[in-house]
Amino acid sequence: MKKEKLQKYLTIAFFIGAFILLVFLIQTYGIEPLRSAVKEMGIWAPLGILILRGISVILPALPSSVYSLLAGSLLGFKTGYLTIFISDLIFCQIAFFIARNFGRSPVRKLVGIKAMKRIESFNQNQLEGNFFLMTGLLMTGLFDFLSYALGIGGTRWRLFTPALIISLLISDSIIVAVGAGVSQGAGLMLGGALLGMFALATITGFNKNKVSETQKKSQ
């Protein structure tokens, strides 16, 4: 229990530290030199972020939100949003496909025992019967775990895909907008993104309560 709490605190500290470092670098050196370097890289910069974000989806222990912030700050909102959305759409589908077609064994090897327990807990809740709950949970930072869980649970692809698309259109835009808002000094964009994050936190809390209720009923 203490180990799990420590890992949770370290993860939160990592995200906060990365965000502070990003803001510091932007304020100290300016975003333009970095953006100029990224532009010179052409398609390779978005492609690199897309692949790194994808790896963090397939291996959920790795942090993923950092890449959304980087995409927003270095690529701008439009390109950054498109990059992260495409990455999440492709790699969540890959995670779903692996779980749906090959079962628990390869998933356990990819994510580890601890992450597998979390995936199994979602799998026990039979989310397929509630499209809106599934979509709401996919909007949270647990979308990678859920992609595996829904695949293992036998959720139909034609039900999973629209729920995934709707959730990514909303959730990805918020984190990318935070990165873009900080780098461009866009107070309105940043304020809107932070409000969106608050809304997502509310949705997460609501969905957790729903999942808890479902678990109690099933016991």
Side-chain angles (χ1 to χ4, degrees):
M1 186 65 74
K2 286 182 179 178
K3 260 189 178 180
E4 289 178 2
K5 283 185 178 179
L6 181 61
Q7 285 182 348
K8 186 178 180 181
Y9 291 140
L10 288 174
T11 303
I12 293 169
F14 175 82
F15 282 124
I16 293 172
F19 184 70
I20 291 171
L21 179 62
L22 178 63
V23 174
F24 172 77
L25 289 172
I26 290 168
Q27 289 181 342
T28 305
Y29 301 104
I31 192 66
E32 288 311 316
L34 290 171
R35 282 191 169 172
S36 298
V38 167
K39 279 184 181 179
E40 288 177 7
M41 292 174 69
I43 189 66
W44 296 109
L47 185 61
I49 293 175
L50 185 149
I51 292 171
L52 288 171
R53 170 76 172 196
I55 292 171
S56 72
V57 171
I58 299 298
L59 305 174
L62 299 175
S64 57
S65 297
V66 172
Y67 301 115
S68 298
L69 293 171
L70 281 174
S73 60
L74 297 179
L75 305 177
F77 178 75
K78 187 176 178 181
T79 305
Y81 178 38
L82 192 61
T83 299
I84 296 299
F85 176 81
I86 291 173
S87 178
D88 288 350
L89 183 62
I90 292 172
F91 285 92
C92 282
Q93 292 277 1
I94 291 172
F96 178 82
F97 175 82
I98 292 170
R100 186 81 167 76
N101 291 277
F102 300 105
R104 288 171 170 78
S105 181
V107 174
R108 189 181 293 108
K109 288 177 182 177
L110 283 169
V111 305
I113 296 172
K114 188 178 291 184
M116 192 65 192
K117 287 179 181 177
R118 180 176 286 186
I119 289 169
E120 290 287 2
S121 70
F122 284 119
N123 187 33
Q124 289 168 5
N125 290 309
Q126 299 177 338
L127 295 173
E128 184 176 358
N130 192 330
F131 178 81
F132 294 105
L133 178 59
M134 189 198 317
T135 305
L137 284 170
L138 283 167
M139 285 185 199
T140 69
L142 302 172
F143 65 96
D144 39 11
F145 292 98
L146 275 158
S147 297
Y148 282 121
L150 292 168
I152 290 173
T155 300
R156 291 166 294 168
W157 177 82
R158 62 187 179 188
L159 187 67
F160 168 71
T161 301
L164 178 66
I165 291 172
I166 292 169
S167 66
L168 294 180
L169 285 171
I170 297 169
S171 60
D172 282 348
S173 65
I174 294 169
I175 308 298
V176 174
V178 171
V182 169
S183 66
Q184 296 170 6
L188 185 61
M189 181 184 288
L190 184 56
L194 291 173
L195 284 173
M197 289 180 75
F198 176 76
L200 273 187
T202 304
I203 291 171
T204 303
F206 175 77
N207 286 327
K208 280 182 179 178
N209 289 336
K210 284 282 186 184
V211 170
S212 298
E213 288 175 11
T214 306
Q215 285 177 333
K216 286 177 183 177
K217 286 178 182 177
S218 62
Q219 285 174 351

